[in-house]
Amino acid sequence: MKPGFTSLLLLLFSGSLLAQSSADYYTLPVKKEPGFEHHNTESYLKRFGEVRIRNRWYAGFNGFVRNDQAKLNNNFNDLIGTQSATDYGFGASVGWVSREQWTMELEYARSPIHNTLVLHGDYPQIYKMENDKNSILFRVKRRILFGKPSIRRSALWVGAGAGIVPNSGRQTKYREFIGYRSAGRRMGYDTLFITSDTRVSSHPTAALEASAEYILKVSKKIDISFFSRYQWGAGNSVRTELVYYVNGTENQSASITGNGTGLAFGVSLRYNMHLGYDFGRMNSSSQKETNL
């Protein structure tokens, strides 16, 4: 009797366990209430109008093509000359934007300042010299407003800036050139000799800048900027000293200087690291609803 009763209890207990596990397994998922949607901060703010930005931080990387000019103070009777030089550069920047109206930006640029020596003749020879390629610039930019402020959208910005060009004082190139010219039928040939010694300044120099850029909003976090910048150099970053000898006697001297004055065109890709939203409009809307 007892074995049968025990078997009956075990059967009933196991049946209840199986029923419970089956009920758990077939439990229907909880249905979302009608009209329920997931919102992030930006989509929630859009319910009250266009999204307004109080401030934001961004980091950027840019590449550009730059043309700069050099100055020559003596051409040795058209024996030598100079010309502008075109080269590429790149940089990294960090910036802070206030209410989509003002921007402060700090940039490190890896871009050379040139001076160029041209030796005239039947086959002109061109020698391009450059400085240490480093510069640090701080600029302030203002958005040219078309529409409501504080709303992040594609727009035109103009700016002004100033910077410093660190210089190492090193010698970059030393060259010697030799040539001959007729001194007359009976006098033979004169020997012409030119030395060229190029050095980077031993002191930091400065630069001033004016810029214009069109910033295109790609996504919530990404912007692309197309910019043009004109810089004026203050102080010569790279200098070439030339001495002209005729038949071993020093005849004239000259110098070519490069201070970085020139124009640049480029593209910048920027990532918004922080977006600070303006909740003032939302609070005012909430107050209006409460008053009603």
Side-chain angles (χ1 to χ4, degrees), residues 12 16 30 39 45 52 71 93 126 138-140 152 158 161 171 176 227 246 260 282 286 288:
L12 292 173
S16 64
V30 178
H39 290 283
L45 286 173
R52 294 173 181 267
K71 292 182 179 180
S93 61
I126 300 174
F138 175 79
R139 58 179 64 96
V140 176
R152 180 168 162 256
V158 295
Q171 182 186 44
E176 295 179 344
F227 63 82
V246 179
M282 184 178 69
S286 299
K288 290 180 181 179

Side-chain angles (χ1 to χ4, degrees), residues 8-271:
L8 180 61
L9 288 177
L10 290 174
L11 182 62
L12 292 173
F13 181 70
S14 60
S16 64
L17 289 177
L18 289 173
Q20 182 179 359
S21 61
S22 299
D24 291 342
Y25 181 80
Y26 289 105
T27 299
L28 293 175
V30 178
K31 294 183 179 180
K32 295 181 180 179
E33 296 180 4
F36 176 83
E37 293 181 6
H38 175 72
H39 290 283
N40 58 27
T41 303
E42 186 165 319
S43 62
Y44 187 70
L45 286 173
K46 285 180 179 179
R47 296 176 60 186
F48 298 92
E50 295 181 276
V51 179
R52 294 173 181 267
I53 305 295
R54 183 176 66 254
N55 57 62
R56 59 185 170 94
W57 286 89
Y58 67 82
F61 180 82
N62 60 73
F64 53 89
V65 175
R66 186 170 182 271
N67 178 276
D68 62 347
Q69 306 161 6
K71 292 182 179 180
L72 172 67
N73 63 2
N74 187 2
N75 61 15
F76 296 160
N77 299 320
D78 291 328
L79 183 62
I80 63 173
T82 190
Q83 64 184 28
S84 61
T86 300
D87 210 335
Y88 69 91
F90 59 90
S93 61
V94 61
W96 178 75
V97 185
S98 175
R99 297 193 177 275
E100 297 303 311
Q101 297 179 50
W102 291 96
T103 297
M104 291 188 292
E105 183 178 273
L106 183 67
E107 179 187 78
Y108 165 76
R110 182 73 174 166
S111 175
I113 294 175
H114 303 91
N115 64 19
T116 306
L117 169 64
V118 181
L119 291 177
H120 297 302
D122 295 335
Y123 301 98
Q125 301 177 53
I126 300 174
Y127 300 91
K128 186 167 64 175
M129 285 74 72
E130 58 189 32
N131 73 337
D132 299 318
K133 302 182 181 181
N134 301 311
S135 63
I136 301 172
L137 291 135
F138 175 79
R139 58 179 64 96
V140 176
K141 296 180 284 189
R142 179 72 164 95
R143 176 180 164 196
I144 305 299
L145 293 175
F146 297 102
K148 300 177 182 178
S150 303
I151 296 173
R152 180 168 162 256
R153 54 166 59 120
S154 301
L156 178 67
W157 295 69
V158 295
I164 187 170
V165 181
N167 296 301
S168 64
R170 65 185 178 90
Q171 182 186 44
T172 61
K173 290 289 184 181
Y174 179 82
R175 293 185 174 93
E176 295 179 344
F177 307 95
I178 189 169
Y180 305 93
R181 70 178 180 187
S182 174
R185 293 183 179 179
R186 297 182 180 181
M187 300 180 65
Y189 293 89
D190 289 331
T191 301
L192 310 180
F193 190 70
I194 297 176
T195 62
S196 169
D197 185 15
T198 303
R199 294 179 181 271
V200 176
S201 173
S202 57
H203 304 286
T205 53
L208 300 175
E209 179 189 272
S211 64
E213 62 180 326
Y214 185 79
I215 300 178
L216 180 66
K217 178 184 174 183
V218 177
S219 66
K220 176 182 176 182
K221 291 289 188 179
I222 302 297
D223 292 337
I224 292 181
S225 165
F226 301 91
F227 63 82
S228 63
R229 298 169 182 165
Y230 193 89
Q231 290 185 354
W232 295 268
N236 297 314
S237 179
V238 58
R239 186 184 190 96
T240 299
E241 297 290 349
L242 300 117
V243 181
Y244 178 38
Y245 298 86
V246 179
N247 297 328
T249 302
E250 182 177 332
N251 186 274
Q252 300 178 64
S253 62
S255 61
I256 305 175
T257 55
N259 61 12
T261 298
L263 182 65
F265 296 95
V267 179
S268 178
L269 181 65
R270 295 168 185 168
Y271 175 76

